[in-house]
Amino acid sequence: MLTMQEITTALQNLSPNELHRIERVIRDLYRARHETIIYDDSYGIWTEQDQVSMAVEVFELLDKSDN
């Protein structure tokens, strides 16, 4: 099994077409695993985890601006 670092390195060497194919496989895996998908279209997906992590970033920015 490849590590995340090895996968990340390998992804950098792929063509745009290969990256699109991998993205499609990942989206299909999310659907097959019944992951909570908030938004799903031809551009990609937005999962519950994406929503939560973005909210955390926004709240951190708001906290910084209050200081």
Side-chain angles (χ1 to χ4, degrees), residues 25-66:
V25 169
I26 291 170
R27 281 186 285 178
D28 290 345
L29 283 171
Y30 278 129
R31 290 182 189 115
R33 293 176 181 185
H34 304 289
E35 291 290 328
T36 305
I37 298 174
I38 296 171
Y39 192 76
D40 185 359
D41 67 7
S42 61
Y43 294 108
I45 59 171
W46 187 259
T47 66
E48 185 176 319
Q49 182 178 353
D50 295 325
Q51 187 76 18
V52 169
S53 66
M54 185 56 64
V56 168
E57 287 184 40
V58 168
F59 286 123
E60 286 175 352
L61 285 173
L62 290 172
D63 286 343
K64 288 179 183 177
S65 68
D66 286 343

Side-chain angles (χ1 to χ4, degrees), residues 4-16:
M4 288 301 296
Q5 183 176 359
E6 291 170 321
I7 292 169
T8 301
T9 300
L11 288 173
Q12 294 173 15
N13 297 320
L14 298 178
S15 70

